[in-house]
Amino acid sequence: MMPAMDPRTLTLRAFQKHIFDRYEKVDRRRGTPKTFLWFIEEIGELATALHGDDHANLQEEFADVLAWLCTLANINNVDLADAVAKKYLGPKPPKGHK
Ligand SMILES: [Mg+2]
């Protein structure tokens, strides 16, 4: 059994791999269009949580959005850590806009 990941040392790459290891088969079968709908549904839940005052729920919805973003990246062969590093951590990060 895999040891639980420690949030203090968790990396984006490790989390994306965790989502891949657990869900990749079913995620690929579902495909990008339906997965994108799930992702947008989670964005909607996050929007609702941002309007509310339940911080535990807000945390949960941020987690869901990140998990579904990892799923979308996995089934489209995108390594999020590489993508983030390339765009935001290089010599010319975007200034004033994303
Ligand atoms: Mg949710």
Side-chain angles (χ1 to χ4, degrees):
M1 191 164 153
M2 199 167 66
M5 282 189 255
D6 183 338
R8 293 167 303 178
T9 55
L10 178 65
T11 64
L12 180 55
R13 171 158 290 145
F15 183 64
Q16 184 175 352
K17 185 181 183 309
H18 174 77
I19 295 294
F20 183 95
D21 291 345
R22 278 191 85 145
Y23 306 109
E24 190 256 350
K25 269 199 186 118
V26 70
D27 287 340
R28 278 202 195 276
R29 239 180 281 130
R30 182 187 322 102
T32 294
K34 280 187 187 162
T35 299
F36 189 72
L37 285 179
W38 277 104
F39 174 65
I40 293 304
E41 187 169 317
E42 291 300 343
I43 296 278
E45 290 177 7
L46 176 59
T48 302
L50 284 165
H51 276 283
D53 57 5
D54 181 344
H55 195 262
N57 178 243
L58 181 62
Q59 262 191 319
E60 206 175 289
E61 298 308 339
F62 269 108
D64 285 345
V65 166
L66 183 58
W68 282 96
L69 183 66
C70 286
T71 293
L72 266 181
N74 284 338
I75 65 175
N76 287 278
N77 309 309
V78 169
D79 181 309
L80 285 173
D82 282 349
V84 166
K86 192 174 171 188
K87 176 147 188 191
Y88 288 97
L89 307 175
K92 283 197 207 164
K95 283 190 182 137
H97 65 88
K98 291 181 222 57

